[in-house]
Amino acid sequence: MTAEATGTGLSSCIAVAIAHDQRGSRSLLSLGQRIGFGTVVDHSDYSQIEPLQLPFFLMHYAISDPAKAQLLHALRRSPQFNVRFAPIILIMPDGPLDLVHYIEMGFDDVICLPEKAPILTARFNNQLGQEKLFIEAEGYLGPDRRRMAGGDAANRRTADTTHTRIIIVRQPGRGVSVLKRQLVLRGRSDAAPTHERASSQSVR
């Protein structure tokens, strides 16, 4: 583990590597250090996250798809609020791969390597300080899967099922805040607000 840095942005966040072996873990930890995370740890140590510390989960592509889905489900059901709504990013090599498939699986972003450092940093920083739409439905909690074109539209639709729209913002040093919750009833296009928060404090 590196010494924790102080400041804003990624330097105040923790990168958690999830890989199928030590070699993959080392690769992800090295990536987290190069990008500028204040702390990088293997997933076996992520329980050490402080209450207001914002984690980024970096998942290695070589993990099987069923295992990826299980890990996503476990993280999104974590009792730790900042873990449940943390950015979960798939890291994979550049090539003819179906990125939309992994967006639909529930990843916040899919990053292909190699990539220039400034672009990588910008992609990770895009998860901070901006409103993000999460969808909570039966069997799924994660980013809005309709945000990318292509793929199987039927799998990305939520309008025909009852679900909750959750608008969050992730802030270094503060964690995750919920700005608004909206319940969307099955077969209806209107959203009924069920709970709103405008506080910058994390919700527990």
Side-chain angles (χ1 to χ4, degrees):
M1 181 187 302
T2 67
E4 183 175 351
T6 59
T8 60
L10 298 177
S11 65
S12 295
C13 300
I14 178 172
V16 182
I18 305 178
H20 64 303
D21 59 16
Q22 291 185 351
R23 181 179 179 182
S25 178
R26 287 194 298 268
S27 174
L28 294 178
L29 293 174
S30 176
L31 175 65
Q33 291 173 330
R34 294 199 309 271
I35 292 172
F37 281 95
T39 306
V40 295
V41 299
D42 185 74
H43 72 280
S44 60
D45 297 324
Y46 88 85
S47 61
Q48 299 177 17
I49 292 171
E50 298 297 328
L52 295 182
Q53 192 173 37
L54 182 62
F56 279 65
F57 292 93
L58 281 55
M59 194 177 299
H60 197 277
Y61 75 96
I63 296 172
S64 69
D65 279 6
K68 289 185 184 78
Q70 291 177 358
L71 288 164
L72 280 166
H73 182 81
L75 291 171
R76 296 302 184 203
R77 296 299 183 272
S78 169
Q80 295 181 272
F81 189 84
N82 286 343
V83 170
R84 199 156 66 245
F85 288 95
I88 306 175
I89 297 175
L90 181 63
I91 307 297
M92 60 196 318
D94 197 9
L97 300 167
D98 186 359
L99 305 186
V100 175
H101 166 71
Y102 293 111
I103 293 295
E104 291 177 347
M105 188 180 287
F107 286 97
D108 291 83
D109 200 358
V110 179
I111 293 179
C112 297
L113 301 179
E115 185 57 272
K116 295 180 180 178
I119 295 176
L120 285 174
T121 301
R123 292 279 292 273
F124 279 91
N125 273 314
N126 184 55
Q127 301 297 329
L128 301 174
Q130 302 183 41
E131 293 185 5
K132 299 291 184 181
L133 174 60
F134 264 53
I135 300 295
E136 184 174 29
E138 184 177 357
Y140 180 78
L141 172 66
D144 181 12
R145 293 178 288 189
R146 299 171 297 174
R147 68 190 186 277
M148 288 187 66
D152 185 351
N155 289 337
R156 293 183 287 114
R157 293 185 61 191
T158 56
D160 294 336
T161 61
T162 296
H163 62 278
T164 301
R165 294 165 55 89
I166 306 172
I167 298 176
I168 67 167
V169 63
R170 301 162 173 140
Q171 298 172 296
R174 294 185 179 182
V176 180
S177 300
V178 172
L179 303 182
K180 181 180 293 186
R181 291 179 181 267
Q182 292 180 310
L183 176 64
V184 180
L185 300 177
R186 181 174 183 175
R188 294 181 58 180
S189 60
D190 57 320
T194 59
H195 195 197
E196 292 192 12
R197 291 184 181 271
S199 170
S200 62
Q201 298 299 312
S202 298
V203 182
R204 293 286 182 266

